[in-house]
Amino acid sequence: MDSLARSQRGEKLAQVVMWSSAALVSAVFLWMLSDLVTNGLGRVSWEFLTSSPSDSGRAGGIGPIVVSTLLIVSVAMVVAIPIGVGTAVYLAEFTSTESLLGRLVRRSLDVLAGVPSIVFGLFGSAFFCKTLGLGFSILSGGLTLACMVLPILIRSVEVGFREIPDHYRLSAAALGLSRTSTLLHLLLPAAAPGLAVGLVLGIGRAAAETAALIFTSGYVDRTPESVLDSGRALSVHIFDLSMNVPGGTPNAYAAALVLLGLLLLINGAASGLAHRWLGRNIATL
Amino acid sequence: MSRFRVDEGLLWSLRGVAFLAGTIVVFVVAFVGWEASAALRSVGLSRFVTDPSWYPSEGLYSVLPMLVGTVLVTAGAVLTATPLGIMAAIFCNHYAPAFVARPYRRMIELMSGIPSVVYGFWGLVTLVPLIAQVEPPGTSLLAGIMILTVMILPTVTLFADSSIGRVSEEYTRGAAALGLTRWATVCHVVLPAARPGIVAGVFLATARAIGETMAVLMVCGNVVKTPGSLFDPVRTLTANIALEMAYAMGDHRSALFVTGLVLFLLIVALVWGAELAGEGRARG
């Protein structure tokens, strides 16, 4: 009878601990969110999003920084999408899981997914900036990010292709379609959900990145005239304002809120799409 | 193999693209290694741990204080995030009603997508002043551990959650039929069955913590000194690279690439460990 009472007490205790740990985690998240919203929202306006920063960013807006961020992310995606989709198609449709090239590519992408962003930064600065002579530029930053987002892009697109039922391929073969036209007219449209999820996740990953950009795309906060100019990403702007500019905190709040809002939107869309279309959780890991 | 000429062309171009994607990691290692080789030749690997301190301008290259910083921040964060994350996953699967579990899961997913610079900024403007009230300067090992805990918590939770969710219902029903309490079921039936996935998640979270740069750079204070207490500032290997790459030249620059290479190898080992742990899941 004693042991019954004890195990009931234990059960109660476990319940309390579980609910309070969940409450703690939610509280931290809400604390952060509300802190950023209350301190940042007052400054975010159309004016702030479009005007140039002045006084090292203490005053003015983030117009040129938004332009640079969009350019860096676009360069990254324009380079990553053809390579990523091609690789995913190869892995999902044209090779068995046992083939040598398939295994090597998969293994190397797993390692690439684990490489810390600062090491990508070192690589980008040695390869794109120095060896290829692109210097501190939006192109260098975008190319570095392209390498970084490839693994997550490939993984999602591959899942999209594997979700397509086999009778699509069999019917196409029975109709005498070439594999190329099967791919272009049948499989690519059917894999659109996976493509969309991969694309959105890749954009989210690229937009969130800071460490890989500090010494590849640089700090210049003017509007870039071409992709060979240096441009400051939004994340780098937040870092610079909060660490190197005394009195930059109010504008850093606003910039952080803009970036956070953007990413919650992007990642929310990605996970919504993944749950709905792929019926599984690729997660933003 | 195929009757169509165009298919041959497609296959070869896809092979080419896949090969290119596969070689990126080789490029990363090659270029970081190449830049590191100058310091490895002129300074030598042993001096990175035997030199009295890190004063690159005077040719002293001991990375020990930074290595200790990285190990302490990571260990602190992993030790806090692991129990919290596992509890959050148990909560989602066995304690929370569905209308709580769904939004809770969604919230954790959103947390995993918040950029590290935003975590770092929030830590700098909220946590650091709070810690400074207890003991200045506030930028400290403790602040780094707290921010990193929040950052890697989603990784631990999401892995544990999917692993616990996959534990067969037969097990939990069997446990219920035997009259086990919910807590006893979780402890003695669910967790042992879900262990491989949970361990894999912890490995990956550790890798993430070691590689994290911005958040620790912003809240840790970055003083090159082995910390004596939780309230002392520390500098991690990643923060060191971010701080000094901008102006480093010659051997100093090359030495930073050596630390980058070490980080890379550490993380490859952890990802590999996660994979081995996860294989247990596939068998079990």
PDB file of all heavy atoms in Angstrom, chain B residues 127-156:
ATOM      1  N   LEU B 127      19.743  39.402 -21.186  1.00  0.00           N
ATOM      2  CA  LEU B 127      20.368  38.520 -20.199  1.00  0.00           C
ATOM      3  C   LEU B 127      21.607  39.154 -19.580  1.00  0.00           C
ATOM      4  O   LEU B 127      21.789  39.101 -18.363  1.00  0.00           O
ATOM      5  CB  LEU B 127      20.752  37.184 -20.850  1.00  0.00           C
ATOM      6  CG  LEU B 127      19.620  36.249 -21.208  1.00  0.00           C
ATOM      7  CD1 LEU B 127      20.179  34.939 -21.736  1.00  0.00           C
ATOM      8  CD2 LEU B 127      18.749  35.978 -19.988  1.00  0.00           C
ATOM      9  N   VAL B 128      22.443  39.766 -20.440  1.00  0.00           N
ATOM     10  CA  VAL B 128      23.712  40.299 -19.936  1.00  0.00           C
ATOM     11  C   VAL B 128      23.496  41.356 -18.842  1.00  0.00           C
ATOM     12  O   VAL B 128      24.137  41.283 -17.786  1.00  0.00           O
ATOM     13  CB  VAL B 128      24.585  40.812 -21.110  1.00  0.00           C
ATOM     14  CG1 VAL B 128      25.735  41.654 -20.604  1.00  0.00           C
ATOM     15  CG2 VAL B 128      25.098  39.635 -21.928  1.00  0.00           C
ATOM     16  N   PRO B 129      22.587  42.329 -19.027  1.00  0.00           N
ATOM     17  CA  PRO B 129      22.353  43.287 -17.934  1.00  0.00           C
ATOM     18  C   PRO B 129      21.838  42.614 -16.657  1.00  0.00           C
ATOM     19  O   PRO B 129      22.220  43.025 -15.549  1.00  0.00           O
ATOM     20  CB  PRO B 129      21.285  44.224 -18.509  1.00  0.00           C
ATOM     21  CG  PRO B 129      21.396  44.092 -19.979  1.00  0.00           C
ATOM     22  CD  PRO B 129      21.851  42.704 -20.237  1.00  0.00           C
ATOM     23  N   LEU B 130      21.003  41.568 -16.809  1.00  0.00           N
ATOM     24  CA  LEU B 130      20.507  40.859 -15.625  1.00  0.00           C
ATOM     25  C   LEU B 130      21.659  40.206 -14.870  1.00  0.00           C
ATOM     26  O   LEU B 130      21.735  40.278 -13.638  1.00  0.00           O
ATOM     27  CB  LEU B 130      19.492  39.787 -16.032  1.00  0.00           C
ATOM     28  CG  LEU B 130      18.097  40.278 -16.410  1.00  0.00           C
ATOM     29  CD1 LEU B 130      17.215  39.104 -16.806  1.00  0.00           C
ATOM     30  CD2 LEU B 130      17.473  41.036 -15.238  1.00  0.00           C
ATOM     31  N   ILE B 131      22.556  39.548 -15.632  1.00  0.00           N
ATOM     32  CA  ILE B 131      23.696  38.894 -14.985  1.00  0.00           C
ATOM     33  C   ILE B 131      24.620  39.929 -14.365  1.00  0.00           C
ATOM     34  O   ILE B 131      25.172  39.718 -13.285  1.00  0.00           O
ATOM     35  CB  ILE B 131      24.447  38.010 -16.009  1.00  0.00           C
ATOM     36  CG1 ILE B 131      23.533  36.878 -16.478  1.00  0.00           C
ATOM     37  CG2 ILE B 131      25.713  37.431 -15.399  1.00  0.00           C
ATOM     38  CD1 ILE B 131      24.096  36.046 -17.597  1.00  0.00           C
ATOM     39  N   ALA B 132      24.750  41.091 -15.033  1.00  0.00           N
ATOM     40  CA  ALA B 132      25.627  42.142 -14.509  1.00  0.00           C
ATOM     41  C   ALA B 132      25.135  42.654 -13.160  1.00  0.00           C
ATOM     42  O   ALA B 132      25.929  43.126 -12.343  1.00  0.00           O
ATOM     43  CB  ALA B 132      25.719  43.295 -15.512  1.00  0.00           C
ATOM     44  N   GLN B 133      23.828  42.571 -12.900  1.00  0.00           N
ATOM     45  CA  GLN B 133      23.313  42.989 -11.592  1.00  0.00           C
ATOM     46  C   GLN B 133      23.802  42.064 -10.487  1.00  0.00           C
ATOM     47  O   GLN B 133      24.021  42.493  -9.361  1.00  0.00           O
ATOM     48  CB  GLN B 133      21.788  42.986 -11.604  1.00  0.00           C
ATOM     49  CG  GLN B 133      21.220  44.231 -12.268  1.00  0.00           C
ATOM     50  CD  GLN B 133      19.714  44.171 -12.364  1.00  0.00           C
ATOM     51  OE1 GLN B 133      19.079  43.269 -11.808  1.00  0.00           O
ATOM     52  NE2 GLN B 133      19.137  45.124 -13.062  1.00  0.00           N
ATOM     53  N   VAL B 134      23.967  40.764 -10.833  1.00  0.00           N
ATOM     54  CA  VAL B 134      24.484  39.821  -9.849  1.00  0.00           C
ATOM     55  C   VAL B 134      25.991  40.017  -9.699  1.00  0.00           C
ATOM     56  O   VAL B 134      26.510  40.163  -8.601  1.00  0.00           O
ATOM     57  CB  VAL B 134      24.176  38.368 -10.262  1.00  0.00           C
ATOM     58  CG1 VAL B 134      24.697  37.398  -9.218  1.00  0.00           C
ATOM     59  CG2 VAL B 134      22.693  38.194 -10.483  1.00  0.00           C
ATOM     60  N   GLU B 135      26.676  39.999 -10.865  1.00  0.00           N
ATOM     61  CA  GLU B 135      28.117  40.228 -10.826  1.00  0.00           C
ATOM     62  C   GLU B 135      28.590  40.778 -12.157  1.00  0.00           C
ATOM     63  O   GLU B 135      28.460  40.112 -13.176  1.00  0.00           O
ATOM     64  CB  GLU B 135      28.849  38.918 -10.484  1.00  0.00           C
ATOM     65  CG  GLU B 135      30.289  39.164 -10.117  1.00  0.00           C
ATOM     66  CD  GLU B 135      30.961  37.904  -9.580  1.00  0.00           C
ATOM     67  OE1 GLU B 135      30.322  37.153  -8.831  1.00  0.00           O
ATOM     68  OE2 GLU B 135      32.134  37.685  -9.933  1.00  0.00           O
ATOM     69  N   PRO B 136      29.116  42.002 -12.185  1.00  0.00           N
ATOM     70  CA  PRO B 136      29.591  42.575 -13.434  1.00  0.00           C
ATOM     71  C   PRO B 136      30.780  41.765 -13.963  1.00  0.00           C
ATOM     72  O   PRO B 136      31.449  41.118 -13.153  1.00  0.00           O
ATOM     73  CB  PRO B 136      30.016  43.998 -13.054  1.00  0.00           C
ATOM     74  CG  PRO B 136      29.763  44.141 -11.597  1.00  0.00           C
ATOM     75  CD  PRO B 136      29.300  42.862 -11.045  1.00  0.00           C
ATOM     76  N   PRO B 137      31.109  41.787 -15.259  1.00  0.00           N
ATOM     77  CA  PRO B 137      30.530  42.671 -16.282  1.00  0.00           C
ATOM     78  C   PRO B 137      29.255  42.136 -16.934  1.00  0.00           C
ATOM     79  O   PRO B 137      28.625  42.870 -17.704  1.00  0.00           O
ATOM     80  CB  PRO B 137      31.652  42.731 -17.321  1.00  0.00           C
ATOM     81  CG  PRO B 137      32.315  41.399 -17.219  1.00  0.00           C
ATOM     82  CD  PRO B 137      32.212  40.985 -15.787  1.00  0.00           C
ATOM     83  N   GLY B 138      28.865  40.918 -16.684  1.00  0.00           N
ATOM     84  CA  GLY B 138      27.633  40.399 -17.290  1.00  0.00           C
ATOM     85  C   GLY B 138      27.898  39.565 -18.523  1.00  0.00           C
ATOM     86  O   GLY B 138      27.329  38.497 -18.671  1.00  0.00           O
ATOM     87  N   THR B 139      28.768  40.071 -19.421  1.00  0.00           N
ATOM     88  CA  THR B 139      29.154  39.217 -20.549  1.00  0.00           C
ATOM     89  C   THR B 139      30.031  38.116 -19.966  1.00  0.00           C
ATOM     90  O   THR B 139      31.111  38.386 -19.456  1.00  0.00           O
ATOM     91  CB  THR B 139      29.956  39.995 -21.606  1.00  0.00           C
ATOM     92  OG1 THR B 139      30.947  40.762 -20.950  1.00  0.00           O
ATOM     93  CG2 THR B 139      29.059  40.906 -22.419  1.00  0.00           C
ATOM     94  N   SER B 140      29.550  36.878 -20.048  1.00  0.00           N
ATOM     95  CA  SER B 140      30.214  35.832 -19.269  1.00  0.00           C
ATOM     96  C   SER B 140      29.948  34.448 -19.834  1.00  0.00           C
ATOM     97  O   SER B 140      29.117  34.269 -20.723  1.00  0.00           O
ATOM     98  CB  SER B 140      29.689  35.876 -17.836  1.00  0.00           C
ATOM     99  OG  SER B 140      28.293  35.750 -17.864  1.00  0.00           O
ATOM    100  N   LEU B 141      30.672  33.506 -19.259  1.00  0.00           N
ATOM    101  CA  LEU B 141      30.448  32.089 -19.542  1.00  0.00           C
ATOM    102  C   LEU B 141      28.982  31.737 -19.315  1.00  0.00           C
ATOM    103  O   LEU B 141      28.350  31.065 -20.135  1.00  0.00           O
ATOM    104  CB  LEU B 141      31.351  31.277 -18.599  1.00  0.00           C
ATOM    105  CG  LEU B 141      31.257  29.756 -18.636  1.00  0.00           C
ATOM    106  CD1 LEU B 141      31.545  29.243 -20.025  1.00  0.00           C
ATOM    107  CD2 LEU B 141      32.216  29.148 -17.638  1.00  0.00           C
ATOM    108  N   LEU B 142      28.407  32.239 -18.201  1.00  0.00           N
ATOM    109  CA  LEU B 142      27.018  31.933 -17.873  1.00  0.00           C
ATOM    110  C   LEU B 142      26.067  32.414 -18.968  1.00  0.00           C
ATOM    111  O   LEU B 142      25.170  31.686 -19.411  1.00  0.00           O
ATOM    112  CB  LEU B 142      26.656  32.588 -16.535  1.00  0.00           C
ATOM    113  CG  LEU B 142      25.237  32.331 -16.038  1.00  0.00           C
ATOM    114  CD1 LEU B 142      25.014  30.855 -15.757  1.00  0.00           C
ATOM    115  CD2 LEU B 142      24.948  33.148 -14.779  1.00  0.00           C
ATOM    116  N   ALA B 143      26.279  33.655 -19.433  1.00  0.00           N
ATOM    117  CA  ALA B 143      25.409  34.192 -20.487  1.00  0.00           C
ATOM    118  C   ALA B 143      25.507  33.321 -21.740  1.00  0.00           C
ATOM    119  O   ALA B 143      24.494  33.021 -22.380  1.00  0.00           O
ATOM    120  CB  ALA B 143      25.805  35.627 -20.809  1.00  0.00           C
ATOM    121  N   GLY B 144      26.735  32.898 -22.076  1.00  0.00           N
ATOM    122  CA  GLY B 144      26.930  32.047 -23.247  1.00  0.00           C
ATOM    123  C   GLY B 144      26.194  30.728 -23.102  1.00  0.00           C
ATOM    124  O   GLY B 144      25.533  30.262 -24.027  1.00  0.00           O
ATOM    125  N   ILE B 145      26.309  30.126 -21.894  1.00  0.00           N
ATOM    126  CA  ILE B 145      25.636  28.840 -21.666  1.00  0.00           C
ATOM    127  C   ILE B 145      24.130  29.005 -21.801  1.00  0.00           C
ATOM    128  O   ILE B 145      23.448  28.195 -22.439  1.00  0.00           O
ATOM    129  CB  ILE B 145      26.000  28.286 -20.271  1.00  0.00           C
ATOM    130  CG1 ILE B 145      27.473  27.848 -20.249  1.00  0.00           C
ATOM    131  CG2 ILE B 145      25.098  27.116 -19.901  1.00  0.00           C
ATOM    132  CD1 ILE B 145      27.960  27.372 -18.905  1.00  0.00           C
ATOM    133  N   MET B 146      23.593  30.089 -21.225  1.00  0.00           N
ATOM    134  CA  MET B 146      22.135  30.275 -21.264  1.00  0.00           C
ATOM    135  C   MET B 146      21.637  30.447 -22.700  1.00  0.00           C
ATOM    136  O   MET B 146      20.654  29.822 -23.115  1.00  0.00           O
ATOM    137  CB  MET B 146      21.738  31.477 -20.402  1.00  0.00           C
ATOM    138  CG  MET B 146      21.853  31.186 -18.918  1.00  0.00           C
ATOM    139  SD  MET B 146      21.799  32.669 -17.909  1.00  0.00           S
ATOM    140  CE  MET B 146      20.053  32.820 -17.656  1.00  0.00           C
ATOM    141  N   ILE B 147      22.307  31.296 -23.470  1.00  0.00           N
ATOM    142  CA  ILE B 147      21.851  31.538 -24.841  1.00  0.00           C
ATOM    143  C   ILE B 147      21.995  30.279 -25.690  1.00  0.00           C
ATOM    144  O   ILE B 147      21.094  29.906 -26.442  1.00  0.00           O
ATOM    145  CB  ILE B 147      22.649  32.711 -25.461  1.00  0.00           C
ATOM    146  CG1 ILE B 147      22.050  34.032 -25.009  1.00  0.00           C
ATOM    147  CG2 ILE B 147      22.638  32.652 -26.978  1.00  0.00           C
ATOM    148  CD1 ILE B 147      20.628  34.253 -25.476  1.00  0.00           C
ATOM    149  N   LEU B 148      23.137  29.589 -25.545  1.00  0.00           N
ATOM    150  CA  LEU B 148      23.331  28.367 -26.330  1.00  0.00           C
ATOM    151  C   LEU B 148      22.311  27.296 -25.958  1.00  0.00           C
ATOM    152  O   LEU B 148      21.857  26.536 -26.810  1.00  0.00           O
ATOM    153  CB  LEU B 148      24.741  27.817 -26.108  1.00  0.00           C
ATOM    154  CG  LEU B 148      25.791  28.207 -27.132  1.00  0.00           C
ATOM    155  CD1 LEU B 148      27.038  27.372 -26.902  1.00  0.00           C
ATOM    156  CD2 LEU B 148      25.290  27.993 -28.548  1.00  0.00           C
ATOM    157  N   THR B 149      21.946  27.241 -24.665  1.00  0.00           N
ATOM    158  CA  THR B 149      20.933  26.275 -24.241  1.00  0.00           C
ATOM    159  C   THR B 149      19.641  26.495 -25.017  1.00  0.00           C
ATOM    160  O   THR B 149      19.057  25.563 -25.566  1.00  0.00           O
ATOM    161  CB  THR B 149      20.657  26.418 -22.726  1.00  0.00           C
ATOM    162  OG1 THR B 149      21.866  26.204 -22.033  1.00  0.00           O
ATOM    163  CG2 THR B 149      19.611  25.426 -22.273  1.00  0.00           C
ATOM    164  N   VAL B 150      19.209  27.753 -25.072  1.00  0.00           N
ATOM    165  CA  VAL B 150      17.970  28.056 -25.794  1.00  0.00           C
ATOM    166  C   VAL B 150      18.118  27.704 -27.272  1.00  0.00           C
ATOM    167  O   VAL B 150      17.192  27.216 -27.907  1.00  0.00           O
ATOM    168  CB  VAL B 150      17.611  29.550 -25.634  1.00  0.00           C
ATOM    169  CG1 VAL B 150      16.311  29.855 -26.346  1.00  0.00           C
ATOM    170  CG2 VAL B 150      17.503  29.914 -24.180  1.00  0.00           C
ATOM    171  N   MET B 151      19.334  27.925 -27.810  1.00  0.00           N
ATOM    172  CA  MET B 151      19.527  27.690 -29.239  1.00  0.00           C
ATOM    173  C   MET B 151      19.543  26.219 -29.621  1.00  0.00           C
ATOM    174  O   MET B 151      19.089  25.854 -30.697  1.00  0.00           O
ATOM    175  CB  MET B 151      20.839  28.331 -29.695  1.00  0.00           C
ATOM    176  CG  MET B 151      20.740  29.819 -29.795  1.00  0.00           C
ATOM    177  SD  MET B 151      22.210  30.474 -30.540  1.00  0.00           S
ATOM    178  CE  MET B 151      22.048  29.819 -32.168  1.00  0.00           C
ATOM    179  N   ILE B 152      20.114  25.356 -28.762  1.00  0.00           N
ATOM    180  CA  ILE B 152      20.199  23.946 -29.152  1.00  0.00           C
ATOM    181  C   ILE B 152      19.031  23.128 -28.617  1.00  0.00           C
ATOM    182  O   ILE B 152      18.838  21.986 -29.014  1.00  0.00           O
ATOM    183  CB  ILE B 152      21.532  23.289 -28.723  1.00  0.00           C
ATOM    184  CG1 ILE B 152      21.677  23.280 -27.212  1.00  0.00           C
ATOM    185  CG2 ILE B 152      22.707  23.976 -29.380  1.00  0.00           C
ATOM    186  CD1 ILE B 152      22.894  22.500 -26.751  1.00  0.00           C
ATOM    187  N   LEU B 153      18.228  23.731 -27.731  1.00  0.00           N
ATOM    188  CA  LEU B 153      17.070  23.031 -27.189  1.00  0.00           C
ATOM    189  C   LEU B 153      16.163  22.460 -28.288  1.00  0.00           C
ATOM    190  O   LEU B 153      15.752  21.297 -28.205  1.00  0.00           O
ATOM    191  CB  LEU B 153      16.288  23.987 -26.279  1.00  0.00           C
ATOM    192  CG  LEU B 153      15.126  23.379 -25.518  1.00  0.00           C
ATOM    193  CD1 LEU B 153      15.651  22.461 -24.428  1.00  0.00           C
ATOM    194  CD2 LEU B 153      14.257  24.463 -24.911  1.00  0.00           C
ATOM    195  N   PRO B 154      15.842  23.243 -29.344  1.00  0.00           N
ATOM    196  CA  PRO B 154      14.979  22.689 -30.393  1.00  0.00           C
ATOM    197  C   PRO B 154      15.564  21.445 -31.061  1.00  0.00           C
ATOM    198  O   PRO B 154      14.826  20.495 -31.347  1.00  0.00           O
ATOM    199  CB  PRO B 154      14.866  23.839 -31.411  1.00  0.00           C
ATOM    200  CG  PRO B 154      15.139  25.062 -30.634  1.00  0.00           C
ATOM    201  CD  PRO B 154      16.125  24.676 -29.582  1.00  0.00           C
ATOM    202  N   THR B 155      16.878  21.415 -31.274  1.00  0.00           N
ATOM    203  CA  THR B 155      17.494  20.240 -31.900  1.00  0.00           C
ATOM    204  C   THR B 155      17.274  19.010 -31.036  1.00  0.00           C
ATOM    205  O   THR B 155      16.831  17.962 -31.523  1.00  0.00           O
ATOM    206  CB  THR B 155      19.011  20.465 -32.099  1.00  0.00           C
ATOM    207  OG1 THR B 155      19.195  21.733 -32.710  1.00  0.00           O
ATOM    208  CG2 THR B 155      19.620  19.393 -32.955  1.00  0.00           C
ATOM    209  N   VAL B 156      17.584  19.127 -29.726  1.00  0.00           N
ATOM    210  CA  VAL B 156      17.392  17.986 -28.820  1.00  0.00           C
ATOM    211  C   VAL B 156      15.921  17.583 -28.814  1.00  0.00           C
ATOM    212  O   VAL B 156      15.572  16.407 -28.952  1.00  0.00           O
ATOM    213  CB  VAL B 156      17.841  18.352 -27.388  1.00  0.00           C
ATOM    214  CG1 VAL B 156      17.623  17.173 -26.460  1.00  0.00           C
ATOM    215  CG2 VAL B 156      19.292  18.779 -27.365  1.00  0.00           C
TER     216      VAL B 156
END
